[in-house]
Amino acid sequence: MHIAVVGLSHKTAPVEVREKLSIPEDRVETAIGQLKAYPHIEEVSILSTCNRMELYCVARETEAGVREVTQFLADHSGLPLPVLRPNLFVLLHQDATNHLMRVSAGLDSLVLGEGQILSQVKKMHQLAQQYQGAGSILNRLLKQAVTAGKRVRTETSIGTGAVSISSAAVELAQLKVAERRGEVGFASLEGHRVTILGAGKMSRLLVQHLCAKGADNIRILNRSLGRAMDLAAQFSNDSIEIRAGLMPEMMTALAESDIVFASTSATEPLIDRAKLEQAIAPSHRLMLIDISVPRNVATDAGDLAHVESYNVDNLKEVVAQNQEARRRMAQEAEALLEEEVAAFDAWWDSLDTVPTINALREKLETIRTQELEKALSRLGTDFGEKHQAVVEALTRGIINKILHDPMVQLRSQPDRETRRQSASALNLLFNLERDA
């Protein structure tokens, strides 16, 4: 079996490509089923976020498995293979393992050290288990990746003051407001009318950071009013006005806003040039910041002279300002990740011993049952069932005791070659290959 990851991220593909490959949670079960139907894919899990779409798989044959996953991505996105391939990366076994550990730790994120990715890796693991995508290998790998992410956040300083996509979006708004005023740095958002589309996790973080940056007039629109009201109630106070509403109010809200953040799960744009021309007066300046993938704001929205339109790829401007300091923090995390990768590799290498251990256990079990049957037949019918159960347990216990030391020693050999030599010796001494 071979581990591979095929995918794309903010480092390899622009948002207009990433959004075509996005797989929302309600389509993960179907996608896993389609991928496992390929002849060379044994296990698969899907990580789909605003900045990456990665498929982790265990394949019987690496080249064929990668080819099948790539074909799935082409079919799913509707992009021809020649267009899709330049945006993809492929990593195999240890490189794939290293990559997942770094992703889980936030070291491969657009915002270095961001914490939300760890919960997304946890969710990937949960869905892979729920929909029978993950077997023993991916279960172990994903569990190890979550452990790695937790260790990095608790044992290093990478999480201290870590920013998220949402906070970077708020900082981008501050930066652009300052530029309008001819100022340098980040302007306060006090007095600006802000609308947020969506009331999910990203929106909650948006509200949190907006309040911290001086925003005092916020409107939250969502498909369900209850969730928007709960979010508004969580952050409202005497100095901050937060109103809740429904999505049909969107165009009215845009006409009354200075800054709009879009963070919904919609798969098609909610805002485009035609809608803006109808609702927004040319004299009204509007800033749109779309952190959704697929995008909520169409590309042509920014064609209007009085509308500034930004998406997740524009956040790099903000991130670059503090990336160097955070990169130094990340060096602490790399050593921890090496330990987690080594732990997974040790488990992976120990799989070489499984066939020998199973064959040895099977042979001893065969001998045990045959000899036990002979003994019980000689004892006759007077030997009661209760006594038979005692003898059965006794013989099983003897076999387990005999097997314990060879199995422990075989698994604990310091390197793969020594394990193979030890396994070969057991095969020879017990005639395991001949019996098989």
Side-chain angles (χ1 to χ4, degrees):
M1 295 296 180
H2 308 275
I3 297 173
V5 55
V6 182
L8 72 175
S9 72
H10 61 95
K11 294 181 178 179
T12 68
V15 65
E16 54 265 27
V17 174
R18 299 201 305 273
E19 67 185 357
K20 286 182 170 61
L21 284 98
S22 175
I23 300 178
E25 186 177 324
D26 59 2
R27 298 182 190 173
V28 168
E29 181 178 12
T30 300
I32 286 177
Q34 290 173 342
L35 284 158
K36 288 195 69 182
Y38 284 104
H40 297 91
I41 304 299
E42 293 295 312
E43 303 180 31
V44 66
S45 61
I46 299 170
L47 180 61
S48 182
T49 75
C50 62
N51 279 322
R52 66 184 69 248
M53 220 305 281
E54 300 176 354
L55 297 179
Y56 292 83
C57 68
V58 175
R60 288 186 175 277
E61 183 184 326
T62 302
E63 186 176 344
V66 168
R67 188 166 57 247
E68 289 167 354
V69 171
T70 304
Q71 187 62 56
F72 167 82
L73 291 174
D75 294 341
H76 169 70
S77 65
L79 295 173
L81 283 171
V83 175
L84 177 62
R85 279 199 183 101
N87 297 281
L88 295 179
F89 64 83
V90 177
L91 298 172
L92 306 178
H93 194 65
Q94 190 163 37
D95 289 335
T97 303
N98 287 338
H99 177 73
L100 179 57
M101 301 293 178
R102 298 188 81 255
V103 167
S104 184
L107 301 189
D108 194 65
S109 297
L110 172 64
V111 182
L112 191 63
E114 63 107 351
Q116 192 174 7
I117 188 65
L118 177 57
S119 64
Q120 291 164 334
V121 171
K122 289 179 183 177
K123 189 67 176 178
M124 169 174 67
H125 189 193
Q126 176 193 331
L127 293 175
Q129 289 179 312
Q130 182 177 344
Y131 300 129
Q132 289 77 52
S136 60
I137 294 173
L138 279 188
N139 271 324
R140 181 71 180 224
L141 176 59
L142 293 171
K143 184 178 180 181
Q144 200 87 46
V146 171
T147 299
K150 288 179 179 177
R151 284 194 66 192
V152 165
R153 283 164 177 78
T154 57
E155 298 180 32
T156 75
S157 59
I158 191 69
T160 305
V163 289
S164 62
I165 295 296
S166 297
S167 66
V170 173
E171 288 189 4
L172 178 64
Q174 292 181 274
L175 193 67
K176 297 305 177 182
V177 169
E179 289 178 2
R180 283 182 185 176
R181 298 172 178 173
E183 300 172 358
V184 177
F186 299 95
S188 170
L189 298 181
E190 183 178 0
H192 286 75
R193 297 167 298 174
V194 178
T195 292
I196 299 173
L197 305 180
K201 292 181 181 179
M202 300 282 272
S203 296
R204 186 187 66 79
L205 291 172
L206 280 171
V207 177
Q208 177 182 331
H209 292 293
L210 283 165
C211 293
K213 303 303 181 182
D216 52 8
N217 185 344
I218 301 171
R219 180 186 299 190
I220 303 168
L221 302 183
N222 194 49
R223 287 181 300 175
S224 63
L225 185 59
R227 193 165 184 177
M229 291 179 68
D230 289 344
L231 183 53
Q234 186 178 349
F235 290 94
S236 292
N237 57 47
D238 293 340
S239 59
I240 300 175
E241 179 187 2
I242 304 181
R243 293 168 290 161
L246 291 168
M247 289 301 290
E249 305 169 30
M250 181 180 69
M251 298 316 298
T252 300
L254 264 60
E256 298 172 352
S257 300
D258 302 306
I259 304 170
V260 175
F261 294 90
S263 178
T264 82
S265 57
T267 56
E268 298 291 337
L270 302 175
I271 303 169
D272 57 24
R273 176 174 179 162
K275 291 180 180 178
L276 291 172
E277 285 180 320
Q278 291 179 3
I280 310 298
S283 59
H284 176 61
R285 296 194 67 179
L286 178 65
M287 185 187 303
L288 300 172
I289 300 179
D290 183 6
I291 58 173
S292 303
V293 177
R295 288 173 293 177
N296 292 170
V297 179
T299 305
D300 63 2
D303 294 343
L304 297 172
H306 55 293
V307 175
E308 298 174 62
S309 182
Y310 305 100
N311 59 51
V312 287
D313 285 354
N314 298 117
L315 299 183
K316 294 174 182 177
E317 181 179 352
V318 173
V319 171
Q321 299 193 16
N322 61 8
Q323 193 83 333
E324 186 54 41
R326 303 191 65 74
R327 190 175 288 114
R328 289 195 296 272
M329 296 180 195
Q331 292 175 357
E332 306 172 42
E334 297 289 357
L336 291 179
L337 294 184
E338 288 179 7
E339 294 176 12
E340 296 301 326
V341 170
F344 176 77
D345 284 345
W347 175 83
W348 175 268
D349 288 346
S350 73
L351 296 180
D352 289 343
T353 66
V354 171
T356 297
I357 290 172
N358 288 343
L360 180 57
R361 177 178 288 279
E362 186 175 338
K363 176 158 188 172
L364 294 184
E365 177 64 15
T366 299
I367 294 171
R368 183 192 74 82
T369 55
Q370 289 174 347
E371 296 303 313
L372 181 59
E373 286 175 4
K374 291 178 185 177
L376 291 175
S377 66
R378 288 196 296 270
L379 290 169
T381 56
D382 293 337
F383 197 67
E385 290 185 6
K386 181 179 179 180
H387 298 98
Q388 290 183 27
V390 171
V391 175
E392 173 86 18
L394 171 66
T395 55
R396 284 188 185 278
I398 291 171
I399 294 300
N400 288 335
K401 292 288 186 183
I402 292 171
L403 281 170
H404 180 265
D405 283 343
M407 288 199 289
V408 169
Q409 292 299 321
L410 189 57
R411 286 172 172 153
S412 64
Q413 296 304 307
D415 57 76
R416 175 173 286 183
E417 185 55 35
T418 305
R419 276 192 295 275
R420 286 177 175 169
Q421 290 176 359
S422 299
S424 178
L426 280 174
N427 284 326
L428 176 65
L429 291 171
F430 286 90
N431 283 322
L432 299 180
E433 291 179 355
R434 187 194 68 184
D435 290 347

